[in-house]
Amino acid sequence: MNIILISAFLVCLVHAAPSANKIKWCLKSDQELAKCSKLASSVPELGCVKRDGSYECIKAVKDGEADAITLDGGDIYTAGLTNYDLHPIIAEDYGKDGETCYYAVAVVKKGTTFKFSELKGKKSCHTGLGKSAGWNIPIGTLVALDYIKWSGAADSSVEKSVMEFFSASCAPGAEKGSKLCELCKGDCSRSHNEPYYDYEGAFQCLKDGTGDVAFVKHLTVKDADKADYELLCKDGTRKSIDEYKDCHLAKVPAHAVVSRKDPELAKQIVEILTKLQGYNLFSSEGYTAKNLLFKDSTKKLVPLSETTDSYSYLGAEYMSTIRSLKKEISTDSSPGAIKWCTVGHAETVKCDAWSINTVDDQGNAKIVCTNAKNADDCLRKILRKEADAVAIDGGQVYTAGKCGLVPAMVEQYDESKCASGDASDASSYYAVAVVHKASGLTWETLKGKKSCHTGLGRTAGWNVPMGLIHKETKDCDLSKFFSESCVPGADPTSSLCAQCAGSGKGVGGDAAKCKASSEELYFGYAGAFRCLAKGTGDVAFVKHTTVQENTDGKGPEWAKSLKSADFKLICPGSSADISSYSTCNLAKVPAHAIVTRPEKRNDVVSVLKELQVKLGATASEAPFKMFQSEDGSNLLFKDSTKCLQEVSSANSYKDFLGSTYVETMDSLRVCSDYVPDLEKDCTFNEGCGSSIAG
């Protein structure tokens, strides 16, 4: 028995760690193998393993037969699926300005006259089936614009619809003998055995006159050829090759090195690649093929953070494009259900009750609940399709937007505006600073006092007040301004958590201390006010209705004896009664919103519109109320919500938040220590030409 266990353990070691400290790189062609072998002769820590293509390499890395491979976005998506669970660890950088993304473009010969909308019946050249610039983006765009008619994988494959759209194609990796391989020059494999494979190959297919359009990246056409070619723009126009920023199909994340999730292995890979950069790592000269191991246009490699996964690296918009072309079958127990993300026990209890009250006659629930540690964890789950939606505050909408998620609906707090049905007159609220009236405190004398915040990264409780303070002090160590604080979600060992109460139950209280959930007594609007009311803090940063909702006999048991007259508002230059929030506030900010993935938006809107009719504020006979909280406050939605209104699909997260608030967030992001890890992961590829720190 012991021998069997030891043998199994040794097998696991072989699969988990690189053998003899060699990093085994997976290669997809003889040319790549030749280049790898040459590099390995100079850096012996490098090993070379050949497989038949990207998918076989992904399996090899997963099984420990190889350790790393450089993949394009479409393959990074595949590698990140549960059955492989590989992670991007290093990104290619294509320029002096830190270009860690590229543009997918449609290239045609000058002298032709057809538009992007007139590609039907033309001959097409693709870098490879399932590759980003050559397949996922152009085909996804043609499907989204309804030029390619495809009703979904249940009826036919997208490949079949593409074959009906183009008269002939070369899409390396497609079924041999099909129309998608008709224009290919070699074996139609997704490798350099096919001359028309990859960027250079697809462009050569166009250059030879074999195809009418080539789907490639913006750097493919070299200077010597640029005068003879043009770009097709989605709006029906054409532009020069150099005008790709104004005429492209999509921005695509850079190719990245993927490996198993193992920090030590990642460190070894970075060390070996650092050594290799002195040996023509980014040149394929002399190997009769291009883009071997890395794209030839790569200038340097940039390590990614340990928290980066394929979903945050690619972003929700790109993931949505890929998913639209995948033949995915839903495994949900309730078809059409929205998986709602909850944080903390109290929200989970409410969500379970909500779910029960959405069950239809067939026994299917419209809402299915899933739990996460905090709001950012919810956003990660939504990116990974482990959840579909969550209601979050504006600061979190900003992070969600950076990850490509979209606002679908917004909370409306004015019942008279619910009849309009849309968010054209969306709710907003005021971020305010509240103190005891007898304290004598002013905005100008807050330094060194104790503060109570709704949560790290929350709008009224953190972003607005600390944005103002940073603007005044220019100091990014925001923990130095107040002597002690309660900022749920901050580092539990820092002064920002010193004043937090935990669960208040003694047993397990420390575990809940400073958690960004209802388990922390001082979390959220009511929690931050409770922190002030109990004398724990000197100032509470909340929304303008918080005091009225928790004084003069209203609110939970702890607030019953509190009088609103005992509190006042302070703001730069003045103070005012609690009711004068419109003239004494820190900012007017956007309402909370429901965010989701782009492809799930319509489903989320449809289900929530249906449910609020049955379970919303006006459903007087409903056994459950979506916008009321029994065991706590502001659970799932703010209790002051009267209805949910649809946010136009044309509105980006920046449109929703408004330029003033976005500017506040942008300026606060100068303090990188307070940028959520998720947002850092998602913004790595935010802009071609933006500077990225290595």
Side-chain angles (χ1 to χ4, degrees), residues 19 118 198 420 550 666 693:
S19 62
E118 298 170 339
D198 210 358
S420 66
N550 294 279
D666 287 346

Side-chain angles (χ1 to χ4, degrees), residues 431-433 442-446 464-465 468-469 472 541 569-576 583-587:
V432 297
T442 66
W443 178 263
E444 288 70 27
T445 60
L446 280 180
V464 169
L468 288 172
I469 287 169
E472 293 171 7
F541 299 110
L569 304 177
I570 60 172
C571 47
S574 67
S575 62
T583 56
C584 185
N585 61 73
L586 306 184

Side-chain angles (χ1 to χ4, degrees), residues 27-281:
L27 300 321
K28 298 174 290 184
S29 67
D30 291 335
Q31 293 97 322
E32 281 201 331
L33 180 61
K35 179 178 176 180
C36 181
S37 299
K38 177 75 181 299
L39 292 168
S41 67
S42 300
V43 180
E45 299 97 319
L46 177 67
C48 307
V49 174
K50 183 174 177 288
R51 291 293 184 269
D52 289 336
S54 296
Y55 301 138
E56 293 303 316
C57 275
I58 289 168
K59 291 177 191 172
V61 176
K62 182 237 180 186
D63 293 336
E65 297 165 3
D67 299 312
I69 182 176
T70 311
L71 296 176
D72 132 291
D75 291 330
I76 292 171
Y77 168 84
T78 300
L81 295 175
T82 306
N83 46 330
Y84 301 118
D85 197 28
L86 303 183
H87 294 249
I89 58 171
I90 302 163
E92 294 180 344
D93 184 319
Y94 306 125
K96 60 182 180 181
D97 296 322
E99 293 189 355
T100 54
C101 58
Y102 60 95
Y103 294 87
V105 295
V107 179
V108 294
K109 285 186 175 179
K110 267 188 183 173
T112 56
T113 58
F114 56 87
K115 302 175 182 176
F116 186 75
S117 60
E118 298 170 339
L119 284 175
K120 185 174 174 61
K122 300 296 185 290
K123 293 178 289 185
S124 60
C125 306
H126 307 260
T127 60
L129 194 72
K131 290 179 75 69
S132 294
W135 183 267
N136 293 337
I137 295 299
I139 302 307
T141 302
L142 289 165
V143 169
L145 294 174
D146 207 32
Y147 298 145
I148 291 180
K149 308 294 182 184
W150 184 53
S151 55
D155 296 327
S156 67
S157 69
V158 71
E159 289 89 343
K160 184 179 177 184
S161 295
V162 174
M163 285 189 277
E164 292 170 354
F165 184 77
F166 292 114
S167 61
S169 305
C170 177
E175 183 180 350
K176 291 177 174 61
S178 72
K179 280 177 67 178
L180 291 178
C181 287
E182 189 175 321
L183 301 183
C184 290
K185 199 171 182 179
D187 62 1
C188 195
S189 66
R190 248 183 54 146
S191 77
H192 293 99
N193 294 327
E194 167 52 60
Y196 288 164
Y197 168 68
D198 210 358
Y199 304 108
E200 302 293 333
F203 179 60
Q204 192 64 45
C205 168
L206 172 66
K207 201 171 181 180
D208 290 346
T210 306
D212 300 311
V213 59
F215 299 111
V216 292
K217 64 182 172 74
H218 70 287
L219 297 170
T220 302
V221 183
K222 304 306 179 192
D223 289 344
D225 293 316
K226 285 180 179 178
D228 299 323
Y229 295 90
E230 291 179 309
L231 301 177
L232 289 185
C233 313
K234 288 187 287 185
D235 64 4
T237 62
R238 290 186 175 207
K239 291 191 184 300
S240 72
I241 296 297
D242 288 329
E243 292 179 281
Y244 55 84
K245 288 190 177 180
D246 298 316
C247 181
H248 57 266
L249 307 183
K251 272 199 299 189
V252 182
H255 289 202
V257 176
V258 302
S259 185
R260 298 179 294 282
K261 189 170 177 61
D262 179 343
E264 189 56 38
L265 177 57
K267 184 180 175 184
Q268 287 180 265
I269 293 170
V270 169
E271 288 173 355
I272 284 180
L273 289 175
T274 301
K275 291 181 182 179
L276 286 168
Q277 289 192 59
Y279 296 95
N280 293 320
L281 183 60

